[in-house]
Amino acid sequence: MKKYILGLFFGLGLIIQALGQDSAKLKFNEYLGYVKKFHPIAKQADLTIGMGQANLMRSRGGFDPKVEVDYSRKEFKGTEYYDRLNATFKIPTWYGIELKGNFEQNEGAFIDPAETVPEDGLYSAGISASLLQGSWINERMATLKKAKFFREQSKADRDLLVNQVLFEASLTYFKWLQTYKDSKVFSNFLNNAQVRFEGIKKSALAGDKAAIDTVEAKIAVQNRALELEQANVKFKNASLELSNFLWLGDNIPTELQPNVIPDDNLDLEIDTTLEILGKPLDSFTLENHPKLKSLSYKVDGLRVDKQLKTNKLLPTLNVEYNFLTESPEFINSFVTEQYKGGLTFQMPLFLRKERGDLKLAKIKLRDAQYELDNAEIQVRNKVLAIYNELDSFERQNDLIYNIVSNYNTMLAAEERKFSFGESSLFLINSRESKLIDAVLKQNAVQNKFYSAKAKLFNSLAVNPENL
C-alpha cells in the first residue's frame, strides 16, 4: 500500500508540473542516472558484489578456530561404567598444518586402560600436518583462492550487467528522440501546408488562382495531417517503451507524462554521459575490459582447481605430535619424553578417480582459456568496427545536412516561382515531399550515429561513475 501511495504522489507531482509548463525536457544524463540508481536490473547487478563477499566469508570460515567437546557417561545398577570428557581446541593454518590443544578426563570401572589419565585430567598441545597430499594446496586453500577470484569476477560481472541495462536504455532514448523529431517535422510541414492552403483559397476567391488548386492544396494538408497522426502514434509508443526504464525508489514503476520531451541537443552530452569522450582507438586496452577480466578470473579459479586435482595424485601422509602434561600452567612441564603421536598413510593403487578428476579439470581449464582467447578477438574486432562506423556516420551526417540544405533551397525557389505564376502547386508538393524524406533520413542517420556511440559504450563495457 505504501508503494502505491508514493506512486500516486509522484504521479500528482508530474501532473502539477505539466499544468505549470507546456513541456519539460528529460535530459539524457538525468534519465540514465535514474536508470542506474533505481532500475531493478541495476539493483540486481549490485547483488553480485554481495554474493562474492558472502562466498569469500564462507570460504574463510574453513580457517576459523574450532572448539570440540565430546562427553559421554554410562551408569547402570549403581556402577559407573565410564565418564569420558574430551575437549579440543583447533586452529587450522594455511599449509595443511593444524595447531591443537586438548583436555581429556576419563573415569569409570570399565574404561580401557589406554584411556587412563590422572585424576585431574590430562592436557596436550601439539601439531598435525599433511606432508604429501594437502601440503602445498588443499581443499581449504583452494576454496579460499577461488572465492577471492570469484569476488573480483563478480565486480566485473556487475559492471557488465549495469552497462547492458544502460546500453538498452540509451537505445530506447534515441528511438524516443527520433520519433519526437519526426513528429515535429510533420507538425511544421502541416502548418506550412495549412498556410499555403489559406493563401491559395484567398487567391482563388479573388480569381487569381484556379479553383482546382484549392483541392490540391487541401489534399496536401490532409496528407500532412495523416503523416503527423502516424508519427504521433510512434512517439507515444516510444514514450511507453521508455517508461519501462523509469523507476523510483522501493521498486515503483512510473510512466512518462505527455508533456515530457527529449533533449534534442545530444552531440556532446552523449560522450560525456557515457564517458567515452576523448577515447581514441589507441587508448583502448583489452586488459581493463570487464568481460575479459571476468573470464580471466574464471580461468584463474579453474587453474587452482587443476592444482588441487594434481595434488590429490600424491599419497596421503598425515603426521601428528602432541606434548602431554597434567600441569599446563608450568611451561617446562611440556617435555619430549611425554607425548602422543602417530602417522597415517594412504594411497589408492590405480588412482583412477584422481586421474579422471585431473583430466576433467584440465579440459575445463582449456575450454575456459579458449573462451577467453575468442572473447579477446571478438571484443577487439567489435571495437574496431564501431570506430569505423563512427567515422562513417560523421561523414554521413555532413552529407545529409548538405542534402537537406539543398532541398530547402530548391523548395524556397519553387515557392518563389509559384508566387510569380511560373510554377505549379504540384511541383511545390513534390519538392516538399523530397525535403520531408531528406529530413526524416537525417533523423535516421543521426539516430544510427547516436546508437553507434552507445554500441561503443557497450563494447567497452563502461560503468559510468558520474551518473
Side-chain angles (χ1 to χ4, degrees):
M1 179 63 69
K2 180 181 178 182
K3 292 182 178 180
Y4 294 112
I5 293 174
L6 290 174
L8 177 60
F9 280 123
F10 178 75
L12 289 174
L14 290 180
I15 292 172
I16 293 171
Q17 183 184 27
L19 293 174
Q21 54 186 5
D22 294 336
S23 62
K25 280 189 178 181
L26 177 60
K27 290 186 172 294
F28 182 60
N29 59 345
E30 295 174 349
Y31 162 70
L32 285 191
Y34 281 118
V35 174
K36 184 177 180 181
K37 186 174 183 180
F38 298 117
H39 196 278
I41 294 180
K43 290 183 177 181
Q44 186 181 13
D46 289 332
L47 296 180
T48 59
I49 301 295
M51 289 176 60
Q53 295 288 1
N55 190 59
L56 180 60
M57 181 185 294
R58 183 181 64 178
S59 62
R60 283 175 173 164
F63 294 92
D64 288 345
K66 297 179 182 178
V67 175
E68 298 177 0
V69 178
D70 182 13
Y71 176 74
S72 61
R73 174 185 175 89
K74 180 178 178 181
E75 187 171 339
F76 183 67
K77 293 185 178 179
T79 301
E80 183 183 59
Y81 281 68
Y82 58 80
D83 189 318
R84 298 189 182 99
L85 174 63
N86 195 324
T88 304
F89 178 69
K90 298 179 180 179
I91 304 177
T93 61
W94 188 249
Y95 289 105
I97 298 174
E98 189 173 74
L99 305 177
K100 182 170 65 173
N102 181 265
F103 172 74
E104 184 180 2
Q105 190 174 42
N106 302 315
E107 297 175 351
F110 296 99
I111 62 172
D112 191 297
E115 297 180 307
T116 302
V117 296
E119 183 177 352
D120 292 332
L122 184 65
Y123 297 86
S124 65
I127 185 174
S128 63
S130 300
L131 300 183
L132 294 176
Q133 185 183 129
S135 57
W136 51 279
I137 189 170
N138 52 45
E139 293 284 354
R140 287 196 301 257
M141 294 164 61
T143 301
L144 182 56
K145 285 183 176 180
K146 290 191 290 186
K148 290 180 178 179
F149 290 135
F150 178 75
R151 179 187 60 181
E152 299 304 316
Q153 183 182 357
S154 66
K155 293 179 182 178
D157 291 339
R158 186 271 311 270
D159 290 341
L160 290 173
L161 287 172
V162 172
N163 175 272
Q164 184 62 30
V165 70
L166 292 179
F167 167 66
E168 294 174 0
S170 299
L171 294 182
T172 305
Y173 187 93
F174 301 150
K175 179 181 176 181
W176 181 49
L177 174 60
Q178 182 185 1
T179 57
Y180 169 74
K181 285 187 172 182
D182 289 348
S183 66
K184 294 297 290 182
V185 168
F186 290 116
S187 177
N188 292 335
F189 281 101
L190 174 59
N191 291 334
N192 292 343
Q194 288 173 336
V195 171
R196 190 182 301 121
F197 169 69
E198 293 298 331
I200 293 174
K201 184 178 178 182
K202 291 179 181 179
S203 297
L205 292 174
D208 296 332
K209 299 288 184 184
I212 194 64
D213 287 343
T214 60
V215 177
E216 188 171 359
K218 182 64 175 179
I219 292 174
V221 172
Q222 293 170 338
N223 279 329
R224 300 294 176 258
L226 176 62
E227 291 165 341
L228 176 60
E229 182 62 29
Q230 293 171 344
N232 285 337
V233 170
K234 291 181 181 179
F235 175 63
K236 290 178 181 178
N237 290 339
S239 299
L240 289 175
E241 189 175 348
L242 191 79
S243 297
N244 293 334
F245 293 92
L246 292 176
W247 295 73
L248 294 177
D250 296 329
N251 297 331
I252 302 175
T254 184
E255 185 175 333
L256 203 64
Q257 297 302 302
N259 71 307
V260 180
I261 60 174
D263 184 8
D264 56 358
N265 187 17
L266 296 182
D267 291 336
L268 289 179
E269 187 180 351
I270 287 182
D271 293 348
T272 305
T273 302
L274 299 181
E275 297 185 8
I276 58 174
L277 181 65
K279 281 186 179 283
L281 182 58
D282 54 9
S283 69
F284 170 63
T285 56
L286 290 174
E287 291 77 12
N288 296 326
H289 195 281
K291 181 177 181 180
L292 301 182
K293 287 170 68 176
S294 176
L295 291 174
S296 179
Y297 288 127
K298 178 182 177 181
V299 169
D300 291 338
L302 291 173
R303 191 174 287 118
V304 171
D305 199 49
K306 173 179 169 289
Q307 293 173 355
L308 178 63
K309 297 299 190 292
T310 302
N311 182 258
K312 288 193 174 182
L313 294 175
L314 298 175
T316 299
L317 179 59
N318 298 329
V319 297
E320 182 177 359
Y321 184 88
N322 297 277
F323 295 99
L324 299 178
T325 182
E326 55 183 320
S327 53
E329 63 273 14
F330 302 108
I331 298 298
N332 59 2
S333 65
F334 291 96
V335 293
T336 56
E337 291 80 7
Q338 301 179 63
Y339 69 91
K340 180 175 65 174
L343 63 85
T344 303
F345 179 82
Q346 180 181 352
M347 180 178 178
L349 296 179
F350 300 110
L351 294 172
R352 285 181 290 197
K353 178 181 182 299
E354 290 75 9
R355 287 188 288 116
D357 288 341
L358 178 58
K359 185 175 291 187
L360 288 173
K362 288 181 177 179
I363 291 173
K364 291 180 180 178
L365 177 59
R366 193 177 300 116
D367 178 71
Q369 188 64 57
Y370 289 151
E371 184 181 4
L372 175 59
D373 294 340
N374 183 60
E376 287 181 354
I377 297 297
Q378 287 183 339
V379 169
R380 181 185 294 111
N381 291 338
K382 184 177 181 181
V383 171
L384 290 173
I386 292 173
Y387 273 105
N388 291 335
E389 280 188 40
L390 289 172
D391 290 339
S392 175
F393 280 125
E394 287 182 356
R395 293 190 292 271
Q396 290 181 43
N397 277 325
D398 291 337
L399 290 171
I400 194 64
Y401 174 81
N402 292 328
I403 291 172
V404 171
S405 179
N406 291 333
Y407 271 125
N408 265 316
T409 301
M410 293 181 67
L411 177 60
E414 202 66 49
E415 288 178 335
R416 184 174 178 80
K417 289 170 62 178
F418 181 76
S419 66
F420 294 148
E422 297 176 1
S423 182
S424 66
L425 191 58
F426 172 78
L427 289 176
I428 291 179
N429 290 336
S430 177
R431 299 291 189 197
E432 191 176 66
S433 296
K434 290 185 179 297
L435 175 58
I436 291 174
D437 291 341
V439 175
L440 295 178
K441 186 180 293 185
Q442 184 181 35
N443 293 343
V445 170
Q446 189 180 57
N447 176 268
K448 291 178 181 178
F449 180 55
Y450 291 159
S451 297
K453 290 192 174 186
K455 289 178 183 178
L456 177 62
F457 164 78
N458 184 237
S459 63
L460 296 176
V462 177
N463 183 2
E465 298 178 357
N466 298 322
L467 288 179

